[in-house]
Amino acid sequence: KTLRFSARWIAVVVLIFVVSGVFFFCEYLIYFPTILKCAWPKISHVRGGEGIDGRPMDSTLRAMVLSDTHLLGAVGGHWFDKLRREWQMERAFQTALWLLRPEIVFILGDIFDEGKWSSQKDWEDDVRRFHRMFRHTTDTELVVLVGNHDIGFHYEMDWFKLQRFEKVFNATSTRIVTKKGVNFLLVNSVALHGDGCPICQSVERELIKLSRDLNCSLQDNCEGSQLYPPTPPVMLQHYPLYRVSDAGCTGQDAAPPEERHLLFREKYDVLSKEASQRLLQWFKPRLILSGHTHSGCEVLHDNKYPEISVPSFNWRNRNNPSFILASFSAGSYALSKCFLPEESTVIAVYCSAGACLLFLFLAHCLWMKGLLQCFSLCLLGKHKSL
């Protein structure tokens, strides 16, 4: 009886140890070796390693860029789906902050999944969860752009939803952020519909003013204009600039092969041709970073303006989320991609652990059955001898 009791306790201890170990690995530890593979890219002279006018490069700015977090709302978000995916994003983001120490983080829109229709109560709950998940120290600046799921597509957006978003993140949706001599142009691409709507007109007026200020800074002729460092901007927005499809996109984070040849709809999947050309003519950006498609892609516009589409950061949108690590100086930049653990890998670990536990349980049952039979035979033999 004592032997049977001890065997049960050993089995319970082994079960607890295995379950807790697998859970700790899949929900916490797995992010460390994955993100440790990532490193900040070094700026070379290939893209103009010297500063403006041949001056030496300024100190490098380390920027982390992610997109399409899509925090689930109260309407379409199942509680387990919300818990699972938000925990994944929180652990990934916090681990990346701790290991990589970026100076600035950009999130390229679609922060929330239901901002376009959420009530004030639901909005406040979504915002509270966002600030918990993407908490950061004062050493890191967090800059958030607006996306169509935050304020609605063009036909859904209004001043209330836009100003609600801007109030939460304490900034206007179209502006320039300058850090270490690098100009980052943040564009409210949802409002570039070109139909003269009030928000569209306001955003276009602001873009024209910013373009004028940047151009006069480059020409060193800034009477009555705001001064910016004399360097072309890095343009960040939610919608990609116009392209026909993702047919030319490659890499493990590109859209699935069966989707790459699907034609994009202007003003829905990508900006219109007209809006794209206006932005390029106004700002002549040295780099464009965009989101929205949930897949990665590299495009060269007019043979001189490179655009990188940043994949979604959320397991709900893709099995292999990733983010961009960017090193910027006043005259150059370098990019690298950092992949997060794949959801299929975590599921496979859980399934393998479950199969092993089932095997151990069956083996334990068979061992206990054999032990009991042996014990019974021993007792029977003693009884006969008496």
Side-chain angles (χ1 to χ4, degrees), residues 186-212:
L186 314 183
V187 178
N188 178 357
S189 54
V190 184
L192 296 182
H193 214 67
D195 64 349
C197 77
I199 296 178
C200 303
Q201 289 179 341
S202 174
V203 168
E204 288 199 18
R205 281 196 302 268
E206 185 61 28
L207 286 171
I208 291 170
K209 179 182 179 302
L210 292 174
S211 170
R212 189 182 303 120

Side-chain angles (χ1 to χ4, degrees), residues 104-153:
I104 189 166
V105 177
F106 295 100
I107 307 182
L108 305 180
D110 278 3
I111 313 304
F112 309 106
D113 197 57
E114 298 177 4
K116 55 187 178 180
W117 60 52
S118 60
S119 67
Q120 189 60 28
K121 181 178 179 299
D122 293 336
W123 170 261
E124 290 171 359
D125 179 63
D126 293 346
V127 169
R128 178 187 55 79
R129 294 191 343 264
F130 172 83
H131 285 310
R132 185 201 71 229
M133 293 164 55
F134 293 94
R135 62 191 180 275
H136 55 92
T137 65
T138 54
D139 296 332
T140 300
E141 181 180 357
L142 179 65
V143 179
V144 171
L145 282 76
V146 69
N148 57 289
H149 275 266
D150 302 313
I151 61 173
F153 283 97

Side-chain angles (χ1 to χ4, degrees), residues 260-276:
R260 292 181 197 175
H261 293 275
L262 297 177
L263 299 181
F264 283 146
R265 292 164 290 179
E266 293 185 57
K267 305 179 183 181
Y268 189 87
D269 300 310
V270 293
L271 288 179
S272 67
K273 292 179 184 178
E274 293 77 13
S276 302

Side-chain angles (χ1 to χ4, degrees), residues 39-41 62-67 100 102 104-106 108 253 287 289-290 296-298 308-311 313 322-328 334-339:
W40 291 103
R62 298 191 309 273
M64 177 174 156
V65 185
L66 53 121
S67 186
L100 299 170
I104 189 166
V105 177
F106 295 100
L108 305 180
D253 60 351
L287 174 67
L289 295 168
S290 61
C297 190
E298 295 186 25
I308 307 293
S309 288
V310 182
F313 194 69
S322 62
F323 57 90
I324 297 288
L325 293 176
S327 299
F328 290 104
L335 307 175
S336 67
K337 195 162 287 184
C338 184
F339 284 90

